[in-house]
Amino acid sequence: MDHGKPKVFAAKRIPPEALAYLEQYCDVRSWDGDGPIPRERLLAALADAEGLLTSGDAIDDELLARAPKLRAVSTVSVGYNHFDLDAMRRRGVVGTHTPYVLDDTVADLVLALMLSAARRVTELDAYVKSGRWERGQPEAALFGTDVHHASLGIVGLGRIGERIAQRAVHGFGMKLYYHNRSRNPEAEERYGAQYVSMDELLGESDFVVLMTPLTPKTERFFRKEHFDRMKPSAFFINASRGRTVDENALVEALATGRIRGAGLDVYEVEPVDPSHPLLAMPNVVTLPHIGSATAQTRRDMALTAARNLVASLRGDEGAYVVKELRS
Ligand code: NAP
């Protein structure tokens, strides 16, 4: 152990390459238990830590008070809704995340949700595997909806949204609408994206994809009035965070046939309750918050997070500091 190196705690398992990188510069202790670290163990581990590598742990006042030496928190994710930004700012703790490395991987999964929901892939997979496919059945009962040349509305056309746009427009010939708080002129030029109001986006889109970060402004931002404005034939896709949506309103829109179907990677409470009504709906494709989870991308994210932590502690350039905490 080198006493000159800053002490850091890795609250999640990271691949050997990322751990080796961290160990070059830091005195590293890691959580090696199964599953997420219990809160009390995390707080105890932070008593003398200057850096923390984490993914979903709430970085709030309580934690910061128990971590008097903490200078940097690096999350292995692009979303950082678990950061209490005010508390971190007050205590001068830097927060970093992992943008860009996962954009294509998450975009692939969003397309998978769109295709699965529209072409009923999971529903029909279950149909075949359960032996219900018999000769002479009316085929029309199995028909789906076209994705190609349909219209797509992205709410939150940022880094990941642009990679979805690229696939949808250049691959599937889709017409693209988007709604952000501010315009994205590059995306308008590259993908012919039309900047529209929420109302217009909901009224025009065959697929509505929610891709905003979870912030106090986007918490339960998508609600009944939005589902009510969607086309009855449209699909709702959420790969942002579950809490951006009023889930009861989503259940109601699906149960009443107000919308055609949904593709979900995220839920208000995760893991989702096995008795949740969404899980019993054949027109809903449900994934376990798996958007960035390919082996390669998770390795790249861990390495980016390790580099972020080292750069932040050394005061080097190049760490992806979250925008609200940039000085
Ligand atoms: P990003 O580049 O920051 O893009 C987010 C977009 O949302 C921006 O274009 C932003 O535009 C827009 N936005 C923010 N607040 C808004 C509001 N109140 N109303 C309308 N638009 C708003 O982020 P990203 O890298 O694409 O990631 C987006 C989110 O995806 C992450 O924060 C994370 O929660 C989620 N995610 C999920 C998975 C998964 O596994 N399912 C994986 C990775 C990421 P304006 O600022 O102009 O409004």
Side-chain angles (χ1 to χ4, degrees):
M1 192 170 76
D2 179 341
H3 290 283
K5 292 177 176 177
K7 289 186 167 53
V8 308
F9 184 67
K12 63 173 281 149
R13 282 176 202 261
I14 53 172
E17 194 190 349
L19 186 59
Y21 179 84
L22 261 190
E23 284 174 338
Q24 268 181 55
Y25 300 95
C26 305
D27 171 6
V28 186
R29 279 174 308 132
S30 307
W31 166 246
D32 57 5
D34 291 326
I37 184 168
R39 178 77 173 172
E40 204 38 57
R41 297 284 291 270
L42 173 63
L43 298 182
L46 292 177
D48 60 353
E50 291 174 71
L52 169 63
L53 190 133
T54 176
S55 54
D57 302 297
I59 309 302
D60 53 15
D61 256 327
E62 180 201 32
L63 178 141
L64 296 172
R66 296 276 297 270
K69 298 193 173 155
L70 197 64
R71 295 192 282 126
V73 178
S74 169
T75 186
V76 191
S77 61
V78 67
Y80 49 92
N81 46 285
H82 50 301
F83 286 1
D84 178 338
L85 296 166
D86 288 337
M88 292 171 77
R89 197 180 293 113
R90 271 199 308 278
R91 293 174 195 259
V93 174
V94 173
T96 63
H97 66 150
T98 63
Y100 305 110
V101 286
L102 43 63
D103 295 352
D104 282 306
T105 298
V106 180
D108 283 352
L109 194 86
V110 168
L111 265 291
L113 285 171
M114 289 167 56
L115 289 161
S116 303
R119 296 301 304 273
R120 303 169 59 183
V121 172
T122 51
E123 182 189 351
L124 295 179
D125 175 72
Y127 168 83
V128 174
K129 286 179 178 160
S130 66
R132 281 177 286 149
W133 185 24
E134 289 167 12
R135 216 171 271 288
Q137 280 180 337
E139 261 197 324
L142 311 181
F143 288 175
T145 304
D146 277 329
V147 175
H148 70 86
H149 299 98
S151 52
L152 167 65
I154 301 181
V155 183
L157 183 69
R159 287 177 293 258
I160 297 170
E162 284 200 35
R163 306 315 297 158
I164 299 168
Q166 186 254 339
R167 286 157 174 72
V169 172
H170 297 319
F172 288 80
M174 297 181 85
K175 183 172 170 62
L176 181 63
Y177 300 96
Y178 79 103
H179 182 78
N180 291 352
R181 288 166 304 178
S182 50
R183 288 179 81 141
N184 181 337
E186 290 85 31
E188 291 181 21
E189 180 154 340
R190 275 191 214 127
Y191 311 113
Q194 280 188 49
Y195 183 70
V196 290
S197 66
M198 273 302 275
D199 268 3
E200 202 176 337
L201 181 143
L202 297 169
E204 293 295 332
S205 302
D206 299 312
F207 294 84
V208 174
V209 171
L210 192 53
M211 218 54 251
T212 60
L214 174 63
T215 67
K217 291 231 165 59
T218 60
E219 178 122 31
R220 293 201 169 197
F221 154 84
F222 207 97
R223 51 195 184 276
K224 181 177 183 326
E225 65 187 74
H226 298 105
F227 292 115
D228 283 348
R229 285 183 203 143
M230 284 173 64
K231 297 183 189 179
S233 55
F235 293 85
F236 175 75
I237 310 292
N238 189 10
S240 65
R241 287 288 182 265
R243 278 158 52 207
T244 52
V245 179
D246 178 342
E247 216 164 67
N248 292 332
L250 170 61
V251 168
E252 192 198 318
L254 288 160
T256 57
R258 189 59 205 79
I259 63 172
R260 179 66 166 273
L264 307 173
D265 189 37
V266 290
Y267 309 85
E268 250 181 54
V269 176
E270 295 178 1
V272 67
D273 187 322
S275 66
H276 197 296
L278 285 170
L279 308 197
M281 295 178 169
N283 55 337
V284 180
V285 178
T286 52
L287 295 178
H289 198 153
I290 204 83
S292 65
T294 63
Q296 182 62 49
T297 293
R298 284 294 173 87
R299 273 199 297 274
D300 293 346
M301 288 166 69
L303 194 55
T304 302
R307 289 195 175 121
N308 281 339
L309 190 55
V310 169
S312 303
L313 290 171
R314 290 164 60 97
D316 293 345
E317 299 279 298
Y320 289 114
V321 177
V322 303
K323 63 176 186 292
E324 294 85 349
L325 296 177
R326 282 178 210 150
S327 45

